[in-house]
Amino acid sequence: MLSEIHPKLPMRNKAITKEYYITKLGFKAFGNADYNGYLMIQKDHIQIHFFEFKELNPKENYGQVYIRTKHIDRLYKSFLDNNVSIHPAGHLQTKPWGQKEFSILDPDNNLLTFGQSLE
C-alpha cells in the first residue's frame, strides 16, 4: 500500500538551505516550479521537502530524518571530502542494532542520520 515518504523539514532561508543541500550534499532541485517559501530537493531515490519558518530558533528545532543507504562508507567520505560538518556525536560508527551510521546537522539544525544495515 505505502510506497514512498517525503519528509517536510523547516527552513529559515530558502537560498541558504538550497545552497547547502545542492553544493555540500549533492542534491538537486526537484520539480519544474519554484514555490515561494517551499523547496523540494532530490538525490537518487530520496526527496526532502522544506517549508519556510523564518522565526525558527535552530536551538529549538527537533526536525530529524533517517536515510538508508547501501554505500555508507562512500557517502561518509564524500561528505568529508566536501567539508560537510559531521555531528560531534555522530561520526561513522557501528551501532548495537546492526546499523552503520553517521549524522549531520543542516543550517537549521535538522538532524540527518544516514545508515546502512550490516545484515
Side-chain angles (χ1 to χ4, degrees):
M1 292 177 129
L2 303 178
S3 63
E4 295 180 26
I5 186 168
H6 304 298
K8 291 182 178 182
L9 298 173
M11 66 178 171
R12 292 172 292 166
N13 182 300
K14 183 176 177 178
I16 290 171
T17 299
K18 186 175 183 179
E19 173 73 14
Y20 177 80
Y21 278 86
I22 290 174
T23 303
K24 290 289 206 178
L25 305 186
F27 281 77
K28 293 180 172 36
F30 178 78
N32 54 10
D34 187 13
Y35 299 102
N36 188 29
Y38 201 80
L39 174 65
M40 298 180 289
I41 56 162
Q42 181 172 348
K43 183 173 183 171
D44 302 323
H45 302 286
I46 299 294
Q47 276 187 33
I48 304 174
H49 295 208
F50 296 89
F51 61 93
E52 187 174 71
F53 183 9
K54 290 184 181 204
E55 298 79 25
L56 175 69
N57 178 349
K59 293 180 181 179
E60 295 178 359
N61 182 13
Y62 301 102
Q64 299 181 34
V65 177
Y66 193 98
I67 302 170
R68 296 197 183 272
T69 179
K70 294 181 181 175
H71 305 285
I72 192 85
D73 294 306
R74 189 176 352 155
L75 183 64
Y76 186 71
K77 183 177 181 333
S78 75
F79 283 3
L80 291 177
D81 290 347
N82 208 18
N83 296 314
V84 173
S85 295
I86 305 301
H87 188 285
H91 287 278
L92 186 62
Q93 53 190 292
T94 300
K95 300 292 188 175
W97 47 86
Q99 292 285 113
K100 196 170 186 181
E101 299 177 349
F102 73 93
S103 299
I104 62 173
L105 291 170
D106 78 2
D108 294 301
N109 220 35
N110 291 302
L111 179 71
L112 280 71
T113 301
F114 301 87
Q116 179 178 345
S117 177
L118 297 176
E119 297 177 16

